Amino acid sequence: MRRIKDKLSTRLMNVCVASLCKAKQLEKAEVVIVDGIKIGLQPDVVTYNTLIAAYCRFVGIDAGYSILHRMKDAGINPDVITYNSLIAGATRYCLLSQCLDLFDEMLERSILPDIWSYNTLMNCFFKLGKPDEAYRVFQDILLKDISVHSATFNILFNGLCMNGYTENALMLFRSLKRHGFIPQLVTYNILIHGLCKSGRGKAASEFLNELVESGHIPNAITYTTVMKCCFKDRQFEEGLKIFAEMRNKGYTYDAFAYCTVASMLLKTERITEANEYLGYIITSGFSLDTVSFNTIVNLYCKEGQLDNAYKLLYEAEKGGLESDKYTHAILIDGLCRTGNFQEAQQQLNRMSMTGFDSNLVAWNSFINGLCKAGHLDYAMQMFESMDAKDSVTYSTIVRGLCKVGRFRAASKLLLSCIRGGMRILKSDKRIVIDGLRSCGLSHEARKVQSKIQLAKLLHY
């Protein structure tokens, strides 16, 4: 009876540890284990496996591997799940050599790899762009007569598509179906995504029909993937047809699909229809996340509908949605597009007052707008006032100066950027050098080129 109680207590401790690890509260999970030991509870292999998986995921593979030493000190032997967690951690960071070392270590400890061990190794090869090696792992699975899980095939199909072998994935899919393989919805979604990625929108639509005929019900991922592919291939009516079907089936439960459609309509100058969709998003009570919100604000700004953009911002903030640094950058870019630079600077000031004073994205948008409009002195003034700059800031000013023929000033700025340890675009260097030469300053161009080379040697 006491043994049953002890096991139950350890199990409860493991539940607590797992919950804390899931919430990324690793220090608290460790405290639970220490407190458990103090009252006589002994951690088991499940306890340590839970810690290993969490450390590998949230800290790193080395932190996860260090738990093995603690297991040894506690007299607990690792099992296949222990090593699967470590291999998964190494795969997450694309550390192939560590994956292979862990595989060897398993075998040295007489722990037989299972299907998940092979699945993870196969996935690692695919992620690193080694499809031939990944396929050999699959062949090993078959040769060792290990029971194949449906996830194995999905990793195989996804990996082949990811590496540009979509046709091979389809051929394998057909072959497996003839031999009794029953694909899941996720399998169809993987192959549809692969077809779309390779620019085969028509084939993806046909595959969607095949999916329905096989008895599966497409989900939001299926429809959205095909719809976006149709828009990309300029098959707008086909994409809208897919969206209508998706909507009729009740899958448009968030704003993302509507934003995708509205974006396409705006790009094709179907302004009235686009506004109808955007209006529907706002009035239908969709729970907007920041990404969807910024997408709509951006669409309004690109069409010069800044009043609608600010109205949406007001409504969103009133509803509790907080704007982020990209929201401010989008609004500033929209104001610059309409030539309203004074209001853009006021937006920058408001941004600073709300805690976004270090928002480089927004500052870069403002400087870019000034340069495009030819306000170089104003842009330089703002540039000098910035506390922090990045390579985008420098590149924007350099290109702006070159546009108005101020190549000497551009060359000095370019050198300052390199000396500050920042990388420059080859195109920026070329514009400056070619500009100096076009002004008859070939000697100065050679000097600048030499200084750039020297600065790069010292700082890169």
Side-chain angles (χ1 to χ4, degrees), residues 201-220:
K202 187 177 180 183
S205 297
E206 290 170 358
F207 209 66
L208 174 61
N209 295 331
E210 182 180 325
L211 182 158
V212 175
E213 288 168 7
S214 70
H216 287 291
I217 300 172
N219 61 11

Side-chain angles (χ1 to χ4, degrees), residues 47-321:
T47 319
Y48 287 109
N49 284 348
T50 305
L51 278 181
I52 286 171
Y55 274 108
C56 283
R57 184 170 185 181
F58 301 125
V59 182
I61 181 67
D62 292 337
Y65 191 80
S66 69
I67 306 294
L68 277 179
H69 301 298
R70 289 168 57 182
M71 292 177 76
K72 185 180 178 182
D73 293 340
I76 296 170
N77 292 320
D79 59 12
V80 68
I81 296 171
T82 313
Y83 278 94
N84 283 351
S85 296
L86 289 166
I87 293 167
T91 296
R92 189 172 289 112
Y93 299 103
C94 295
L95 302 172
L96 179 59
S97 61
Q98 283 189 257
C99 279
L100 297 172
D101 288 344
L102 287 164
F103 236 83
D104 290 340
E105 192 174 316
M106 279 177 79
L107 297 171
E108 286 170 11
R109 287 177 176 264
S110 300
I111 300 171
L112 289 177
D114 63 8
I115 187 60
W116 297 105
S117 316
Y118 285 102
N119 282 353
T120 311
L121 182 61
M122 183 167 64
N123 187 37
C124 188
F125 275 122
F126 276 130
K127 283 179 75 175
L128 288 165
K130 298 177 181 289
D132 293 336
E133 290 87 339
Y135 194 74
R136 277 198 286 272
V137 174
F138 177 67
Q139 288 176 318
D140 282 346
I141 294 170
L142 301 179
L143 289 170
K144 288 180 168 53
D145 203 25
I146 298 170
S147 180
V148 180
H149 192 275
S150 58
T152 311
F153 294 113
N154 290 336
I155 289 168
L156 188 59
F157 294 136
N158 187 56
L160 288 169
C161 291
M162 186 197 308
N163 285 276
Y165 293 95
T166 306
E167 191 58 42
N168 298 68
L170 284 170
M171 288 168 62
L172 181 63
F173 174 79
R174 302 290 183 211
S175 175
L176 288 170
K177 272 192 77 176
R178 285 195 297 270
H179 288 85
F181 170 62
I182 302 172
Q184 304 169 310
L185 176 61
V186 66
T187 313
Y188 281 101
N189 282 350
I190 287 167
L191 291 167
I192 285 170
H193 182 264
L195 287 165
C196 290
K197 190 180 175 184
S198 60
R200 297 173 60 185
K202 187 177 180 183
S205 297
E206 290 170 358
F207 209 66
L208 174 61
N209 295 331
E210 182 180 325
L211 182 158
V212 175
E213 288 168 7
S214 70
H216 287 291
I217 300 172
N219 61 11
I221 296 170
T222 324
Y223 282 115
T224 306
T225 303
V226 178
M227 179 182 72
K228 286 175 71 178
C229 183
C230 289
F231 291 158
K232 188 179 176 182
D233 293 343
R234 304 190 67 78
Q235 297 175 356
F236 302 123
E237 296 310 317
E238 181 66 24
L240 288 171
K241 183 181 172 185
I242 296 290
F243 177 72
E245 187 178 332
M246 179 182 178
R247 194 175 179 181
N248 291 336
K249 296 277 178 69
Y251 287 120
T252 49
Y253 48 80
D254 60 23
F256 179 75
Y258 285 93
C259 286
T260 304
V261 174
S263 178
M264 178 279 295
L265 291 168
L266 282 173
K267 285 176 183 175
T268 54
E269 298 183 357
R270 295 163 68 169
I271 311 299
T272 305
E273 290 174 82
N275 283 332
E276 285 175 10
Y277 279 103
L278 291 172
Y280 183 80
I281 294 169
I282 296 162
T283 58
S284 295
F286 278 116
S287 180
L288 284 175
D289 59 12
T290 308
V291 175
S292 298
F293 169 69
N294 284 344
T295 302
I296 301 170
V297 171
N298 190 42
L299 291 172
Y300 276 137
C301 286
K302 281 187 174 179
E303 290 305 311
Q305 299 182 30
L306 289 165
D307 288 342
N308 283 335
Y310 274 102
K311 182 182 175 184
L312 178 62
L313 177 64
Y314 173 75
E315 293 294 331
E317 289 182 342
K318 193 169 72 174
L321 183 69

Side-chain angles (χ1 to χ4, degrees), residues 328-398:
H328 291 284
I330 290 164
L331 288 168
I332 287 165
D333 182 65
L335 289 163
C336 289
R337 282 170 184 266
T338 58
N340 199 339
F341 297 105
Q342 187 176 352
E343 179 60 31
Q345 185 157 5
Q346 288 174 6
Q347 181 67 37
L348 271 177
N349 296 336
R350 284 194 292 271
M351 178 189 75
S352 299
M353 290 170 63
T354 53
F356 289 103
D357 54 319
S358 61
N359 186 357
L360 260 176
V361 180
W363 280 88
N364 287 343
S365 290
F366 185 45
I367 286 176
N368 183 54
L370 290 170
C371 288
K372 280 185 175 178
H375 301 305
L376 261 297
D377 291 333
Y378 191 177
M380 287 296 291
Q381 183 185 334
M382 296 304 299
F383 176 83
E384 294 298 335
S385 71
M386 290 173 69
D387 294 325
K389 306 175 183 73
D390 62 6
S391 55
V392 175
T393 324
Y394 280 96
S395 180
T396 304
I397 292 287
V398 165

